[in-house]
Coordinates of all heavy atoms in Angstrom, one line a residue:
M1 N -127.0 114.0 -117.5 CA -128.3 114.6 -116.9 C -129.2 114.7 -118.1 O -129.0 115.1 -119.1 CB -128.0 116.0 -116.4 CG -129.3 116.6 -115.9 SD -129.1 118.4 -115.6 CE -128.6 119.1 -117.1
V2 N -130.5 114.4 -117.7 CA -131.7 114.4 -118.6 C -132.8 115.1 -118.0 O -133.1 114.8 -116.8 CB -132.0 113.0 -119.1 CG1 -133.2 113.1 -120.0 CG2 -131.0 112.3 -119.9
V3 N -133.5 115.9 -118.6 CA -134.7 116.5 -118.2 C -135.9 116.0 -119.0 O -135.9 116.1 -120.3 CB -134.7 118.2 -118.3 CG1 -136.0 118.6 -117.8 CG2 -133.6 118.7 -117.5
D4 N -136.8 115.4 -118.3 CA -138.1 114.9 -118.9 C -139.0 116.1 -119.2 O -139.7 116.6 -118.4 CB -138.7 113.9 -117.9 CG -140.0 113.2 -118.7 OD1 -140.4 113.8 -119.6 OD2 -140.5 112.2 -118.1
L5 N -138.9 116.5 -120.4 CA -139.6 117.7 -120.9 C -141.1 117.5 -120.9 O -141.9 118.4 -120.9 CB -139.1 118.3 -122.2 CG -137.6 118.8 -122.1 CD1 -137.1 119.2 -123.4 CD2 -137.4 119.9 -121.1
N6 N -141.5 116.3 -121.0 CA -143.0 115.9 -121.0 C -143.5 116.2 -119.5 O -144.7 116.5 -119.3 CB -143.2 114.5 -121.3 CG -143.0 114.3 -122.8 OD1 -143.4 115.2 -123.6 ND2 -142.4 113.2 -123.2
R7 N -142.6 115.9 -118.5 CA -143.0 116.1 -117.1 C -142.8 117.7 -116.8 O -143.6 118.1 -115.8 CB -142.1 115.2 -116.2 CG -142.5 115.2 -114.8 CD -141.6 114.3 -114.0 NE -142.0 112.9 -114.2 CZ -141.8 112.0 -113.4 NH1 -141.0 112.2 -112.4 NH2 -142.2 110.7 -113.6
C8 N -141.9 118.3 -117.3 CA -141.5 119.6 -116.9 C -142.7 120.6 -117.0 O -143.4 120.6 -118.0 CB -140.3 120.1 -117.6 SG -140.0 121.9 -117.5
Q9 N -143.0 121.3 -116.0 CA -144.1 122.3 -116.0 C -143.6 123.7 -116.0 O -144.4 124.6 -115.7 CB -145.0 122.0 -114.7 CG -145.6 120.6 -114.7 CD -146.5 120.4 -115.8 OE1 -147.5 121.3 -116.1 NE2 -146.4 119.3 -116.5
S10 N -142.4 123.9 -116.3 CA -141.7 125.3 -116.5 C -141.9 126.1 -115.2 O -142.2 127.3 -115.3 CB -142.5 126.0 -117.7 OG -142.2 125.3 -118.9
Y11 N -141.7 125.5 -114.1 CA -141.8 126.2 -112.9 C -140.6 127.1 -112.6 O -140.6 128.1 -112.0 CB -141.9 125.3 -111.6 CG -143.3 124.5 -111.6 CD1 -143.2 123.2 -111.6 CD2 -144.4 125.2 -111.3 CE1 -144.5 122.5 -111.5 CE2 -145.6 124.6 -111.2 CZ -145.6 123.2 -111.3 OH -146.8 122.5 -111.3
G12 N -139.4 126.7 -113.3 CA -138.2 127.5 -113.2 C -137.4 127.4 -112.1 O -136.4 128.2 -111.9
Q13 N -137.7 126.4 -111.2 CA -136.8 126.3 -110.0 C -135.3 126.0 -110.3 O -134.4 126.4 -109.7 CB -137.4 125.3 -109.0 CG -138.8 125.5 -108.5 CD -138.8 127.0 -107.8 OE1 -137.9 127.2 -107.0 NE2 -139.7 127.7 -108.1
C14 N -135.3 125.2 -111.3 CA -133.9 124.8 -111.8 C -133.1 126.0 -112.4 O -131.9 126.1 -112.2 CB -134.0 123.7 -112.9 SG -135.0 124.2 -114.3
V15 N -133.8 126.8 -113.0 CA -133.1 128.1 -113.6 C -132.6 128.9 -112.5 O -131.4 129.5 -112.5 CB -134.2 128.9 -114.4 CG1 -133.5 130.2 -114.9 CG2 -134.7 128.1 -115.6
Y16 N -133.3 129.0 -111.3 CA -132.8 129.8 -110.2 C -131.7 129.0 -109.5 O -130.7 129.7 -109.1 CB -133.9 130.0 -109.1 CG -135.0 131.0 -109.7 CD1 -136.3 130.6 -110.1 CD2 -134.6 132.3 -109.9 CE1 -137.2 131.5 -110.4 CE2 -135.6 133.3 -110.4 CZ -136.9 132.8 -110.7 OH -137.8 133.7 -111.2
A17 N -131.8 127.8 -109.4 CA -130.8 127.0 -108.8 C -129.5 126.8 -109.5 O -128.4 126.8 -108.9 CB -131.2 125.6 -108.4
A18 N -129.6 126.7 -110.9 CA -128.4 126.5 -111.6 C -128.5 127.3 -113.0 O -128.7 126.7 -114.0 CB -128.2 125.1 -111.9
P19 N -128.3 128.7 -112.8 CA -128.5 129.4 -114.1 C -127.5 129.3 -115.1 O -127.8 129.6 -116.3 CB -128.4 130.9 -113.5 CG -127.9 130.8 -112.1 CD -128.1 129.4 -111.6
A20 N -126.3 128.7 -114.8 CA -125.4 128.4 -115.8 C -125.6 127.2 -116.6 O -125.1 127.0 -117.7 CB -124.0 128.2 -115.1
V21 N -126.7 126.4 -116.2 CA -127.1 125.2 -116.8 C -128.4 125.2 -117.5 O -128.6 124.7 -118.5 CB -126.9 124.0 -115.8 CG1 -127.3 122.7 -116.5 CG2 -125.5 123.9 -115.3
F22 N -129.4 125.8 -116.8 CA -130.8 125.8 -117.2 C -131.1 127.3 -117.5 O -130.8 128.2 -116.9 CB -131.7 125.3 -116.1 CG -131.4 123.9 -115.6 CD1 -130.6 123.8 -114.6 CD2 -132.1 122.9 -116.3 CE1 -130.4 122.4 -114.1 CE2 -131.7 121.6 -115.8 CZ -130.9 121.4 -114.8
R23 N -131.9 127.4 -118.6 CA -132.5 128.7 -119.0 C -133.7 128.4 -119.8 O -134.0 127.4 -120.3 CB -131.5 129.4 -119.9 CG -131.2 128.9 -121.2 CD -129.9 129.4 -121.9 NE -128.8 128.7 -121.2 CZ -128.2 127.4 -121.5 NH1 -128.9 126.7 -122.4 NH2 -127.2 127.1 -120.8
F24 N -134.6 129.6 -119.7 CA -135.8 129.4 -120.6 C -135.5 130.1 -122.0 O -134.8 131.1 -122.1 CB -137.0 130.2 -120.0 CG -137.6 129.4 -118.9 CD1 -137.6 129.9 -117.6 CD2 -138.1 128.2 -119.2 CE1 -138.1 129.2 -116.6 CE2 -138.8 127.5 -118.0 CZ -138.7 128.0 -116.8
H25 N -136.0 129.4 -123.1 CA -136.0 130.0 -124.4 C -137.4 130.4 -124.7 O -138.3 129.5 -124.8 CB -135.4 128.9 -125.4 CG -135.4 129.3 -126.8 ND1 -134.5 130.2 -127.3 CD2 -136.3 129.1 -127.8 CE1 -134.7 130.5 -128.5 NE2 -135.9 129.8 -128.9
G26 N -137.6 131.7 -124.7 CA -139.1 132.2 -124.8 C -139.7 132.1 -123.4 O -138.9 132.1 -122.3
E27 N -140.9 132.0 -123.4 CA -141.6 132.1 -121.9 C -141.6 130.8 -121.1 O -141.5 130.7 -120.0 CB -143.0 132.6 -122.2 CG -143.0 134.1 -122.4 CD -144.4 134.7 -122.4 OE1 -145.2 134.1 -121.6 OE2 -144.6 135.7 -123.0
E28 N -141.6 129.6 -121.9 CA -141.9 128.5 -121.2 C -141.0 127.2 -121.6 O -141.0 126.1 -121.1 CB -143.3 128.0 -121.3 CG -144.3 128.8 -120.6 CD -145.7 128.2 -120.6 OE1 -145.9 127.2 -121.4 OE2 -146.5 128.9 -120.0
A29 N -140.2 127.4 -122.8 CA -139.4 126.4 -123.3 C -138.0 126.3 -122.5 O -137.2 127.1 -122.6 CB -139.2 126.6 -124.8
L30 N -137.9 125.2 -121.8 CA -136.6 125.1 -121.0 C -135.6 124.5 -121.9 O -135.7 123.6 -122.7 CB -136.9 124.0 -119.9 CG -135.7 123.8 -118.9 CD1 -135.5 125.0 -118.1 CD2 -135.9 122.7 -118.1
E31 N -134.3 125.2 -121.8 CA -133.2 124.6 -122.4 C -132.1 124.3 -121.3 O -132.1 124.9 -120.3 CB -132.5 125.8 -123.3 CG -133.3 126.1 -124.6 CD -132.6 127.2 -125.4 OE1 -131.7 127.9 -124.8 OE2 -132.9 127.2 -126.6
Y32 N -131.3 123.4 -121.6 CA -130.4 123.0 -120.5 C -129.1 122.4 -121.3 O -129.1 121.9 -122.4 CB -130.8 122.1 -119.6 CG -131.3 120.7 -120.1 CD1 -130.4 119.7 -119.9 CD2 -132.5 120.6 -120.7 CE1 -130.8 118.5 -120.3 CE2 -132.9 119.3 -121.1 CZ -132.1 118.3 -121.0 OH -132.4 117.0 -121.4
D33 N -127.9 122.4 -120.5 CA -126.8 121.8 -120.9 C -126.8 120.3 -120.7 O -127.0 119.9 -119.5 CB -125.5 122.3 -120.3 CG -125.3 123.8 -120.6 OD1 -125.8 124.2 -121.8 OD2 -124.6 124.5 -119.9
Y34 N -126.8 119.6 -121.7 CA -126.9 118.0 -121.5 C -125.6 117.5 -120.7 O -125.8 116.6 -119.9 CB -126.8 117.3 -122.9 CG -128.1 117.7 -123.6 CD1 -128.1 118.7 -124.6 CD2 -129.3 116.9 -123.4 CE1 -129.1 118.9 -125.3 CE2 -130.4 117.3 -124.2 CZ -130.4 118.3 -125.1 OH -131.5 118.6 -125.8
A35 N -124.6 118.1 -120.8 CA -123.3 117.6 -120.1 C -122.7 118.9 -119.5 O -121.8 119.4 -119.9 CB -122.4 117.0 -121.0
P36 N -123.3 119.3 -118.3 CA -122.7 120.4 -117.6 C -121.4 120.4 -117.1 O -121.0 119.2 -116.8 CB -123.8 120.6 -116.5 CG -124.5 119.3 -116.3 CD -124.4 118.7 -117.6
A37 N -120.7 121.4 -116.9 CA -119.3 121.4 -116.5 C -119.4 120.8 -115.1 O -120.3 121.0 -114.2 CB -118.8 122.8 -116.5
A38 N -118.2 120.1 -114.8 CA -118.1 119.5 -113.5 C -118.3 120.5 -112.3 O -118.7 120.2 -111.3 CB -116.7 118.8 -113.3
G39 N -117.9 121.7 -112.5 CA -118.0 122.7 -111.5 C -119.3 123.1 -111.2 O -119.6 123.7 -110.1
T40 N -120.4 122.7 -112.0 CA -121.7 123.0 -111.6 C -122.4 121.8 -111.0 O -123.7 122.0 -110.8 CB -122.4 123.3 -112.9 OG1 -122.5 122.2 -113.8 CG2 -121.9 124.6 -113.7
R41 N -121.8 120.9 -110.6 CA -122.4 119.7 -110.1 C -123.3 120.0 -108.9 O -124.5 119.5 -108.8 CB -121.3 118.7 -109.6 CG -121.8 117.5 -109.0 CD -120.8 116.5 -108.5 NE -121.4 115.6 -107.6 CZ -120.6 114.7 -106.8 NH1 -119.3 114.7 -107.0 NH2 -121.1 113.9 -106.1
R42 N -122.9 120.8 -108.0 CA -123.7 121.1 -106.8 C -125.0 121.8 -107.2 O -126.1 121.6 -106.7 CB -123.0 121.8 -105.7 CG -122.0 120.8 -105.0 CD -121.5 121.6 -103.7 NE -120.6 120.7 -103.0 CZ -121.0 119.8 -102.0 NH1 -122.2 119.8 -101.8 NH2 -120.1 119.1 -101.4
E43 N -124.7 122.8 -108.1 CA -125.9 123.5 -108.6 C -126.9 122.6 -109.2 O -128.2 122.7 -109.0 CB -125.5 124.6 -109.5 CG -124.8 125.8 -108.9 CD -124.4 126.8 -109.9 OE1 -124.9 126.8 -111.0 OE2 -123.5 127.7 -109.6
V44 N -126.4 121.7 -110.0 CA -127.3 120.8 -110.8 C -128.1 119.8 -109.7 O -129.3 119.6 -109.8 CB -126.5 119.9 -111.8 CG1 -127.4 118.8 -112.3 CG2 -126.0 120.8 -112.9
E45 N -127.3 119.4 -108.8 CA -128.0 118.6 -107.7 C -129.1 119.4 -107.0 O -130.2 118.9 -106.7 CB -126.9 118.1 -106.7 CG -126.1 117.0 -107.3 CD -124.9 116.7 -106.4 OE1 -124.6 117.4 -105.3 OE2 -124.2 115.7 -106.6
R46 N -128.9 120.7 -106.7 CA -129.8 121.5 -106.1 C -131.1 121.7 -107.0 O -132.2 121.6 -106.5 CB -129.2 122.8 -105.7 CG -128.5 122.9 -104.4 CD -128.3 124.3 -103.8 NE -127.5 125.1 -104.8 CZ -126.1 125.2 -104.6 NH1 -125.5 124.6 -103.5 NH2 -125.4 125.9 -105.4
A47 N -130.7 121.9 -108.2 CA -131.8 122.0 -109.3 C -132.7 120.7 -109.2 O -133.9 120.9 -109.3 CB -131.3 122.3 -110.7
A48 N -132.1 119.6 -109.3 CA -132.8 118.4 -109.2 C -133.7 118.2 -108.1 O -134.8 117.8 -108.1 CB -131.9 117.2 -109.4
A49 N -133.1 118.6 -106.9 CA -133.8 118.5 -105.7 C -134.9 119.5 -105.6 O -136.0 119.2 -105.0 CB -132.8 118.7 -104.5
A50 N -134.8 120.7 -106.3 CA -135.8 121.7 -106.2 C -136.9 121.6 -107.2 O -138.0 122.2 -107.0 CB -135.1 123.1 -106.4
C51 N -136.7 120.7 -108.2 CA -137.8 120.6 -109.2 C -139.1 119.9 -108.6 O -139.0 118.8 -108.1 CB -137.2 119.6 -110.4 SG -138.5 119.4 -111.6
P52 N -140.1 120.7 -108.7 CA -141.3 120.1 -108.0 C -141.9 118.8 -108.6 O -142.8 118.2 -107.9 CB -142.4 121.3 -108.2 CG -141.7 122.4 -108.7 CD -140.4 122.0 -109.2
V53 N -141.6 118.5 -109.8 CA -142.1 117.4 -110.5 C -141.1 116.3 -110.8 O -141.3 115.3 -111.5 CB -142.9 117.7 -111.8 CG1 -144.1 118.6 -111.4 CG2 -141.9 118.5 -112.7
Q54 N -139.9 116.4 -110.1 CA -138.8 115.5 -110.3 C -138.5 115.2 -111.8 O -138.4 114.0 -112.2 CB -139.0 114.2 -109.6 CG -139.0 114.3 -108.0 CD -140.3 114.9 -107.5 OE1 -141.4 114.4 -107.8 NE2 -140.2 115.8 -106.6
A55 N -138.4 116.2 -112.6 CA -138.2 116.1 -114.1 C -136.7 115.9 -114.4 O -136.4 115.5 -115.5 CB -138.8 117.3 -114.8
I56 N -135.9 116.2 -113.4 CA -134.4 116.2 -113.7 C -133.8 114.9 -113.2 O -133.9 114.6 -112.0 CB -133.7 117.4 -113.1 CG1 -134.3 118.7 -113.6 CG2 -132.2 117.4 -113.3 CD1 -133.9 119.9 -112.8
A57 N -133.2 114.1 -114.1 CA -132.5 112.8 -113.6 C -131.0 113.1 -113.9 O -130.5 113.5 -114.9 CB -133.0 111.7 -114.6
L58 N -130.3 112.9 -112.8 CA -128.9 113.1 -112.8 C -128.2 111.8 -113.4 O -128.6 110.7 -113.1 CB -128.3 113.2 -111.4 CG -129.0 114.4 -110.6 CD1 -128.4 114.4 -109.2 CD2 -128.7 115.7 -111.4
S59 N -127.2 112.1 -114.1 CA -126.4 110.9 -114.7 C -125.5 110.4 -113.7 O -125.3 110.9 -112.5 CB -125.5 111.4 -115.9 OG -124.6 112.3 -115.4
R60 N -124.9 109.2 -113.9 CA -124.0 108.6 -112.9 C -122.9 109.5 -112.5 O -122.4 109.5 -111.3 CB -123.4 107.3 -113.4 CG -124.5 106.3 -113.5 CD -123.9 104.9 -113.8 NE -125.0 104.0 -113.7 CZ -125.1 102.9 -114.5 NH1 -124.1 102.6 -115.3 NH2 -126.1 102.0 -114.4
A61 N -122.4 110.4 -113.4 CA -121.2 111.2 -113.2 C -121.6 112.3 -112.0 O -120.7 112.7 -111.3 CB -120.7 111.8 -114.4
T62 N -122.9 112.5 -111.9 CA -123.2 113.5 -110.9 C -123.9 113.0 -109.7 O -124.2 113.7 -108.8 CB -124.2 114.6 -111.5 OG1 -125.4 114.0 -112.0 CG2 -123.5 115.4 -112.6
E63 N -124.1 111.7 -109.7 CA -124.6 111.0 -108.5 C -123.6 110.6 -107.6 O -122.6 110.3 -107.9 CB -125.4 109.7 -109.0 CG -126.7 110.1 -109.7 CD -127.4 108.9 -110.2 OE1 -126.8 107.7 -110.0 OE2 -128.5 108.9 -110.7
P64 N -123.9 110.7 -106.3 CA -122.8 110.1 -105.3 C -122.7 108.7 -105.4 O -123.6 108.0 -105.8 CB -123.6 110.5 -104.0 CG -125.0 110.6 -104.3 CD -125.1 111.1 -105.7
A65 N -121.4 108.3 -105.2 CA -121.1 107.0 -105.3 C -121.8 106.2 -104.2 O -121.9 106.7 -103.1 CB -119.6 106.7 -105.2
P66 N -122.2 104.9 -104.3 CA -122.8 104.1 -103.3 C -121.9 103.9 -102.3 O -120.6 103.7 -102.5 CB -123.2 102.9 -104.0 CG -122.5 102.8 -105.3 CD -122.2 104.3 -105.7
S67 N -122.3 103.9 -101.0 CA -121.4 103.9 -99.9 C -121.4 102.5 -99.2 O -120.6 102.2 -98.2 CB -121.7 105.0 -98.8 OG -123.1 104.9 -98.4
V68 N -122.4 101.8 -99.5 CA -122.5 100.4 -99.0 C -122.5 99.3 -100.1 O -122.8 99.6 -101.2 CB -123.8 100.3 -98.2 CG1 -123.8 101.3 -96.9 CG2 -125.0 100.5 -99.0
T69 N -122.1 98.2 -99.7 CA -122.2 97.1 -100.6 C -123.5 96.2 -100.4 O -124.2 96.4 -99.3 CB -120.9 96.1 -100.5 OG1 -121.0 95.6 -99.1 CG2 -119.7 96.7 -100.8
E70 N -123.8 95.5 -101.4 CA -125.1 94.8 -101.2 C -124.9 93.8 -100.0 O -123.8 93.1 -99.8 CB -125.4 94.0 -102.5 CG -126.1 94.9 -103.5 CD -126.7 94.0 -104.5 OE1 -127.1 93.0 -104.4 OE2 -126.8 94.6 -105.7
P71 N -125.9 93.6 -99.2 CA -125.8 92.6 -98.2 C -125.8 91.2 -98.7 O -126.4 90.9 -99.8 CB -127.1 92.8 -97.4 CG -128.1 93.4 -98.3 CD -127.2 94.2 -99.3
A72 N -125.3 90.3 -98.1 CA -125.1 88.9 -98.4 C -126.5 88.2 -98.4 O -127.4 88.8 -97.5 CB -124.2 88.1 -97.4
P73 N -126.9 87.4 -99.2 CA -128.3 86.7 -99.1 C -128.4 86.0 -97.7 O -127.3 85.4 -97.3 CB -128.2 85.7 -100.2 CG -126.9 85.6 -100.6 CD -126.1 86.7 -100.3
L74 N -129.6 86.0 -97.2 CA -129.9 85.4 -95.9 C -130.0 83.9 -96.0 O -129.6 83.2 -95.2 CB -131.2 85.9 -95.3 CG -131.2 87.4 -95.0 CD1 -132.6 87.8 -94.6 CD2 -130.1 87.8 -93.9
V75 N -130.5 83.4 -97.2 CA -130.5 82.0 -97.5 C -129.6 81.5 -98.6 O -129.6 82.2 -99.6 CB -132.0 81.7 -97.9 CG1 -132.2 80.2 -98.1 CG2 -133.0 82.2 -96.9
P76 N -128.8 80.6 -98.3 CA -127.8 80.2 -99.3 C -128.5 79.6 -100.5 O -129.6 79.0 -100.4 CB -126.9 79.1 -98.6 CG -127.5 78.8 -97.3 CD -128.7 79.9 -97.1
E77 N -127.9 79.9 -101.7 CA -128.5 79.3 -102.9 C -128.3 77.8 -102.9 O -127.4 77.2 -102.5 CB -127.9 79.9 -104.2 CG -128.2 81.3 -104.3 CD -127.6 81.9 -105.6 OE1 -127.5 81.1 -106.5 OE2 -127.4 83.1 -105.5
R78 N -129.4 77.0 -103.5 CA -129.3 75.6 -103.5 C -128.3 75.2 -104.6 O -128.3 75.9 -105.7 CB -130.6 75.0 -103.8 CG -131.5 75.1 -102.6 CD -132.8 74.3 -102.9 NE -133.7 74.5 -101.8 CZ -134.9 74.1 -101.7 NH1 -135.3 73.3 -102.7 NH2 -135.6 74.3 -100.6
V79 N -127.6 74.2 -104.4 CA -126.7 73.7 -105.5 C -127.4 72.5 -106.3 O -127.8 71.5 -105.6 CB -125.3 73.2 -104.8 CG1 -124.5 72.6 -105.9 CG2 -124.7 74.3 -104.2
R80 N -127.5 72.5 -107.5 CA -128.2 71.5 -108.2 C -127.2 70.4 -108.6 O -126.2 70.5 -108.9 CB -128.8 71.9 -109.5 CG -130.0 72.9 -109.0 CD -130.7 73.3 -110.3 NE -131.7 74.3 -109.8 CZ -132.6 74.9 -110.6 NH1 -132.6 74.6 -111.9 NH2 -133.6 75.6 -110.1
Ligands
SF4_1 S1 -137.7 123.0 -112.0 FE1 -138.4 121.2 -113.1 S2 -140.5 121.6 -113.8 FE2 -139.4 123.6 -113.3 S3 -138.5 124.3 -115.2 FE3 -136.9 123.1 -114.1 S4 -137.3 121.0 -114.9 FE4 -139.1 122.1 -115.4

C-alpha cells in the first residue's frame, strides 16, 4: 500500500477507517504502515474507499483477484 502524500489533504477519513494502520503525527502529518498486517485488509480497503482524494493505492496483496479472463480478440491476428 502506498499513500500519495502530495495528494493527501489530511482529511483523516483513513484514520477513522483503519486506526491500526493510519495515524496523524502532529496536526496534519499522516503516518501509516507500509505493509499492514493481513488482518487489517478490510479496514485498509475501507480507508482507501473513504479517502476523498483517492490518495491510497492498494498493493496487489490487498486487491481482490481478477475474476474474469481477458476476452479473445474479435479479429484474428494476421500471419506474416
Ligand atoms: S483519507 Fe486520504 S486525504 Fe485523508 S488523511 Fe487519509 S490519505 Fe489523506
Side-chain angles (χ1 to χ4, degrees):
M1 172 191 59
V2 174
V3 177
D4 182 345
L5 295 175
N6 291 319
R7 183 178 284 196
C8 173
Q9 298 295 313
S10 301
Y11 291 117
Q13 298 304 314
C14 57
V15 177
Y16 291 111
V21 178
F22 301 92
R23 69 198 70 84
F24 282 119
H25 179 75
E27 289 190 19
E28 294 186 353
L30 182 70
E31 290 181 340
Y32 64 99
D33 294 335
Y34 296 93
T40 63
R41 178 183 164 187
R42 287 194 177 271
E43 289 182 13
V44 171
E45 288 173 347
R46 277 198 296 267
C51 178
V53 294
Q54 289 84 45
I56 302 169
L58 303 177
S59 66
R60 288 192 178 145
T62 57
E63 290 178 351
S67 59
V68 295
T69 57
E70 281 196 30
L74 296 175
V75 179
E77 292 182 27
R78 291 186 181 179
V79 178
R80 294 185 181 184

